Amino acid sequence: MDLHIPRGFRFAGVYCGIKRDPSKRDLALIVSDRPATAAGVYTRNLICAAPVVWDRSHTPSARIRLVVANSGNANACTGDRGLQDARQMAEWAAEKFGASVDEALVLSTGIIGEFMPMERVREGIELAAAQLDYSEAAFLAAADAILTTDRFRKVASRQIKISDREVCVAGMAKGAGMISPQLATMLAVIVTDAGLTPQQAQGLLVSAVDATFNCISVDGHMSTNDTVLLFANGAAVPSVEEGAIQSLDQAIREVCEELAKSIPADGEGASHLITIEVAGCATRADALKIARVVGNSPLVKTAIAGADPNWGRIVSAAGYAGVDFNPERLTLWVNGFLLYQNGRPQPFDPAAVSDAIRSQHTTFIRLELAEGNASARFWASDLTNEYVRINADYHT
């Protein structure tokens, strides 16, 4: 994959001892050469981590210089000490670049309820600062440093033209378990060399997250640390006129969607990415509600894991989603096979449908109602024995 790295950003990812495995990076720095606009969207869990508290109070902003991120420790449920540690991480990182503490953001992910090993963090910041670079390799090193139980790194980019200048949007994310809107155990950082106001950046990010990161699930468990950040430093174009906002909006959304889909695709122990489309609803909220319930159903997830075309689990999940619709007009397709139409099961070849599920990584579920023209799309993972093993062993 050729990545388009935005101008004016440097990256680094190092190992400093937060994780047990020295082969896995655990601290990243992302630094803008100039003050950047920053926007953020965060978990809605009332129990939220110290870095979320810090970042919420500092975004949106027009003068953020950097983010320091770590994996292996979430700095969540750590009380006043956790808040002090998050601030200290920001201060140590900011000092390296002549910035103030209020110009630095913090991301953390990993085990909940343990204090940060701050001396290791300080050493990691020193090490990462010395390795900062504008290169794709440095970007990928930073992307690796935020992973936990992920099986692969999650990166995406797009390049567009604004005012006859090339503008890049690039993003990195992590997440494989404890995934459920709003948001999920995931961190994501999107950077662009377009210039945006804080209001523009926040609006674009909220819209993109609503259609992407808030439409994924692995296990229905809302995390304490979920954060999506957008940085816009204006190194390519200092400002974006209203006429060009749409193209930048599309690029940001495409990057977010690619990253979002990669999370349930990498769900802990997952063997399938489930794409759920719900159409014919009165509102998008109704469609999304049904899709989310279907995607979070353990019975639907295990049916897909076992390549079982058990349509009853899918339609019954739609029925208890809390959306009023005419069940006599409900229709279901799985991987293009019509299984259920207008409230009645249809004749189909179970072996053929099972083989279609088993032989493909992505399973497509489409539900069609007759209540209106609104639709939504949602992505989920299946549920396997491996998910239980990973989460049973994670802390010990």
Side-chain angles (χ1 to χ4, degrees):
M1 176 195 301
D2 290 328
L3 287 172
H4 305 288
I5 308 299
R7 300 171 182 83
F9 287 99
R10 290 178 289 162
F11 310 88
V14 300
Y15 174 75
C16 66
I18 302 173
K19 290 178 179 173
R20 298 174 184 174
D21 187 346
S23 69
K24 296 182 177 180
R25 294 181 172 94
D26 54 16
L27 188 135
L29 279 177
I30 301 172
V31 179
S32 175
D33 290 344
R34 63 182 74 191
T37 290
V41 178
Y42 307 96
T43 181
R44 297 184 185 178
N45 196 326
L46 293 178
I47 299 176
C48 61
V52 172
V53 175
W54 177 264
D55 291 355
R56 270 185 179 147
S57 68
H58 289 81
T59 56
S61 170
R63 59 184 193 92
I64 298 298
R65 286 290 313 282
L66 62 102
V67 58
V68 54
N70 76 273
S71 57
N73 188 311
N75 193 9
C77 302
T78 46
D80 289 341
R81 175 172 164 180
L83 295 172
Q84 293 168 8
D85 287 347
R87 179 188 174 87
Q88 184 66 78
M89 287 177 65
E91 187 171 344
W92 283 338
E95 286 174 351
K96 299 298 297 181
F97 307 99
S100 72
V101 65
D102 292 329
E103 295 174 309
L105 301 181
V106 181
L107 298 175
S108 296
T109 184
I111 294 172
I112 292 173
E114 294 188 1
F115 294 124
M116 293 288 292
M118 292 302 290
E119 283 309 309
R120 295 176 187 172
V121 169
R122 186 169 195 169
E123 292 171 4
I125 291 171
E126 295 282 343
L127 185 61
Q131 295 185 21
L132 282 168
D133 196 71
Y134 301 99
S135 67
E136 179 178 321
F139 181 91
L140 295 177
D144 287 345
I146 63 174
L147 304 179
T148 52
T149 59
D150 306 65
R151 290 175 293 181
F152 56 82
R153 70 166 67 106
K154 298 166 176 68
V155 295
S157 70
R158 294 293 186 275
Q159 189 174 61
I160 59 174
K161 285 275 187 133
I162 295 179
S163 301
D164 295 325
R165 297 291 303 276
E166 289 184 349
V167 168
C168 297
V169 179
M172 62 182 71
K174 66 81 52 180
M178 201 185 280
I179 301 292
S180 179
Q182 319 266 348
L183 293 158
T185 290
M186 45 153 267
L187 305 179
V189 180
I190 316 298
V191 293
T192 179
D193 45 19
L196 294 170
T197 67
Q199 293 74 23
Q200 286 176 320
Q202 190 69 31
L204 291 175
L205 184 62
V206 168
S207 177
V209 167
D210 184 55
T212 58
F213 290 113
N214 278 341
C215 294
I216 60 173
S217 176
V218 169
D219 47 26
H221 195 116
M222 186 186 295
S223 168
T224 55
N225 289 60
D226 317 327
T227 302
V228 183
L229 298 176
L230 170 63
F231 292 90
N233 70 2
V237 290
S239 62
V240 180
E241 300 299 326
E242 287 303 316
I245 282 288
Q246 185 174 354
S247 60
L248 183 60
D249 177 43
Q250 182 176 343
I252 292 171
R253 190 170 300 218
E254 287 178 1
V255 167
C256 287
E257 180 173 319
E258 188 172 335
L259 294 174
K261 288 169 64 177
S262 72
I263 291 173
D266 188 29
E268 290 172 340
S271 60
H272 291 83
L273 171 65
I274 309 170
T275 298
I276 304 154
E277 294 181 339
V278 179
C281 289
T283 66
R284 181 180 179 273
D286 285 349
L288 187 57
K289 192 172 185 180
I290 292 171
R292 180 176 292 125
V293 168
V294 171
N296 279 332
S297 165
L299 291 180
V300 172
K301 289 173 173 289
T302 51
I304 300 304
D308 180 6
N310 194 327
W311 57 263
R313 295 182 179 183
I314 300 171
V315 299
S316 64
Y320 69 69
V323 175
D324 187 28
F325 66 88
N326 182 357
E328 297 298 317
R329 301 292 302 278
L330 179 64
T331 298
L332 166 68
W333 291 265
V334 174
N335 280 356
F337 291 89
L338 179 64
L339 307 189
Y340 191 84
Q341 186 173 35
N342 291 330
R344 302 289 184 273
Q346 300 298 301
F348 65 91
D349 182 349
V353 182
S354 180
D355 182 64
I357 297 172
R358 185 181 298 107
S359 63
Q360 301 176 49
H361 178 60
T362 300
T363 296
F364 292 93
I365 294 174
R366 178 175 172 84
L367 285 159
E368 193 167 292
L369 290 69
E371 307 301 320
N373 297 316
S375 62
R377 181 175 288 186
F378 192 87
W379 298 277
S381 63
D382 62 356
L383 183 59
T384 68
N385 291 336
E386 184 67 4
Y387 175 86
V388 178
R389 186 198 67 76
I390 290 170
N391 284 281
D393 294 346
Y394 181 63
H395 192 277
T396 55

